[in-house]
Each structure stands twice: as structure tokens, then as C-alpha cells.
Amino acid sequence: MKLVGIVGSNAEVSYNRILLKYIKKQFSHLFDLEILEIKDIPLFNQSDDQTNSAAVQKLNQKILQADGIIIATPEHNHTIPASLKSVLEWLSFKIHPLENKPVMIVGASYYDQGSSRAQLHLRQILDAPGVNAIVLPGNEFLLGKVKEAFDEQENLKDKRTIDFLGTCLEKFTQFITLVSAVEGPKKPVLEPEDLYATGKIATTIEGVDKEADDWLEQAAELVGAVEGNTYVKLERGLLTVDQLNYFLASMPMELTYADSNNQFLYYNHTKPAEEMLAARVPGQVGNPLSKCHPERVHKGVEWVLQQLRSGTMDAFRVNVPTHGPDKYVVHNYQALHDKDGNYAGVNEYILDFKPIIDWYLAQTGQKLIGDVDAVSSASVKDHHSDDVDAGTSASVKA
């Protein structure tokens, strides 16, 4: 069982951090606890949206991937610290990782009541719309007089306190199991896609600006790429570079390749951009995918890539009904894998199906029936969107 412990203080010295470290060490037989800090989370300000900042997104992803959360809070002026409140604001603003997530509250303070009022307030916050955590009822672990509670090795000294903490944690693991059964299987948490291709993979060519119009020429010179009549040994053949270009350019579809680092590296057609189904220009080769699409469709692009990279889908296709009634254009996205099955990027191929459908109907003498007009598009109930820039398609409109 994987749990996350959140230190509810941004102080350099925190007894609540010490408490979580003790829980991690002493109760490792019950769960694996990862302790997270909040000191790098910016102060909440909805006018300066930091939802996608690295610090907020790291916390968001860790919570989403955990089976349950333990929050250790001190008590400041009868409530939780401002830093913890600010974190919870971020986690209920545009993202909601705590929704339906089992949470246990613990706390330590210098005084006898052991953060009782802060814990009560925190329960109210976690129950608020937008947060909607499922908090373990009862089982309040209130560690008072905390300066005297730990020995020099940062272990709790009182056996009754240790036993009670153990009982609360055992009940929390049972609570997590119960909540999981009620909520059903967890949806897989997909990592965000780096559409700006800031990472590096084995085939990344460094030292060339990815957005340079002459990226291809610079990169080819840097790596000594072969061209012309130089032979290339393929798995199932031997062709020159020229022959490969002829072969790929002759395909009755537009092919695009973006690698696993989300860098657009190739397209096959040599037509002018305005004559293509998905307009592309040579200067786009080498661009990160963020540069190849209008920002308004980045979320859609990310979703398609997440499905392919995670294996949730091996292929995805969508009709783009913006080419007029004489075409039925489909954008297909196919995940590529290396010999070991690792994700190696995406092959987008774009095809006008109308000539194929017309040929099939003419050859067989069949006709289309029902409310589907396969020539102009699918049924009137289809979802049409002018925003479709189609997965990894490198649009010239970017």
C-alpha cells in the first residue's frame, strides 16, 4: 500500500515532520510512506495561476498515485498554518487530487491539546466542495507536549502513545481498503506530456535549436547523416536514401512521425502546404509538438499522446470534417514501439477515405443506407469541431 505524508508546515524544524518520519520508520510493515514538503509551493493567488508549476504538479501527481494521504498539521492561532491552507487552495482550484481520496489527520503541538482545533478545522476544509476528501472518522491522533515526546533518535518514548498510533494507522489501512472497494478500480494516472520536448532520448540531436527553420540541415550536418544514393540496410530490404524518399512520398496518405520526446521529425509528402490535408512546411521539422499546434488544442494533443504512451490505446482515429463534402478525411494515430516494446513515438497517417469508399461501392454494387452519408461526413449526431488540429498533426496554422 502506497501512502503520501504531507508535512503541514514550511518551517525548517518541524515536529510534525519528525512525526511523519517516525511513522514511516516504525510502521513500514503496514505501508510504504513517502513524505512530501510544502515549502516550495507558492502562495495561492488565483490571479497568478501557478497550477501548472513544477512544485504544484509534483504534489498533484504524488497524491493522485497514492492509495491514501496522511496530513500532519501543527496548530497556529487555533487553526492550520497559512502555508498548508494555501496548498489546499491550489489542490482545489483547477485540480482536485484529493477528491474521494482517503485521508488521515495527525498532528503535534507544544501544548496539551495536541493540535485538536487545527485538526477540527482541517476536517472541515477537506470536506469542502472542490476538495471532497474522504477523511478517516474518529481516530484522532493528537500528540501534545511534543518537545518531550521524542527521544534523541526521534522515536516516540511513551508505549501507550505508540500503541494508540499503531491502532489508528491499522484502522486507516482498513479504511483505505473499504473506500477502494466502494469507489471501484482506480483510473490510471497518466503523466503529463512534455509538448515542448525539453527532455532527451537516445536519438535526440543536441546543439541545434529545435525551432530553427533550417533544423534539418543543421542536424544532418552535425550527425553526418547520409543522403542521395547512399544505401540504407533495412530489416526487410536494402534501399538508397533517394529510393526511401520516393517510396514514402508515393504513399496514398500523409505520414508524420514524432518521437517519444514529442519532437516532430518527419513528414512524407512533397506537396505545397495548401494542397495537403494537414498543412506542413519543411521549417517545422525538428519542432517540439507545442510549436506545431495552436495552444488551444494542446490539451487534446496531450490526451492523445497519453493514451498511446500509456498503452491505454494502441491507435486513435478521428474524422476531421473541415475539408468539404467531397472528402472524408481521417487522422489516424498509431503508437510505435521498439523491439523491447517500449514506446517509440507516434505515426500519424491522414487519409481521404472517400475514393476508397466510392471504389468499393462501385465494385460491389452496394449502396449506403440509413442516416449516414459517408461522402460528406458521418451522421448529423457527429461531434464537429473547428479546433481539431488532430493529435500530433503539425499544422502550418500554429
Side-chain angles (χ1 to χ4, degrees), residues 2-3 60 63-69 91-92 95-104 125-136 172 175-187 189:
K2 173 69 176 176
L3 304 187
N60 176 49
I63 292 172
L64 287 171
Q65 293 166 11
D67 297 304
I69 312 297
L91 299 180
S92 57
I95 52 177
H96 307 276
L98 288 168
E99 186 169 357
N100 297 325
K101 186 72 67 173
V103 176
M104 177 181 178
I125 295 170
L126 292 171
D127 190 45
V131 186
N132 288 325
I134 305 178
V135 183
L136 175 69
F172 185 49
F175 181 69
I176 291 172
T177 302
L178 178 62
V179 170
S180 298
V182 172
E183 292 295 322
K186 289 196 303 183
K187 295 181 179 179
V189 178

Side-chain angles (χ1 to χ4, degrees), residues 186-207:
K186 289 196 303 183
K187 295 181 179 179
V189 178
L190 303 179
E191 294 291 332
E193 288 288 334
D194 177 15
L195 298 183
Y196 296 88
T198 59
K200 177 185 175 183
I201 58 176
T203 52
T204 298
I205 300 174
E206 298 184 272

Side-chain angles (χ1 to χ4, degrees), residues 2-35:
K2 173 69 176 176
L3 304 187
V4 160
I6 297 176
V7 180
S9 170
N10 58 3
E12 289 188 15
V13 177
S14 167
Y15 282 105
N16 284 278
R17 183 183 296 112
I18 293 173
L19 175 58
L20 285 176
K21 289 168 65 177
Y22 176 77
I23 291 172
K24 176 181 176 69
K25 175 177 61 178
Q26 186 69 20
F27 298 98
S28 59
H29 61 286
L30 291 178
F31 45 72
D32 175 25
L33 179 67
E34 181 178 4
I35 300 173

Side-chain angles (χ1 to χ4, degrees), residues 345-356:
V346 58
N347 170 22
E348 178 189 13
Y349 55 99
I350 304 169
L351 183 64
D352 176 12
F353 273 81
K354 181 183 178 297
I356 299 173

Side-chain angles (χ1 to χ4, degrees), residues 305-321:
L305 293 170
Q306 285 176 324
Q307 308 310 304
L308 299 178
R309 187 186 300 273
S310 67
T312 303
M313 295 181 181
D314 192 49
F316 175 78
R317 59 180 54 91
V318 61
N319 164 233
V320 180

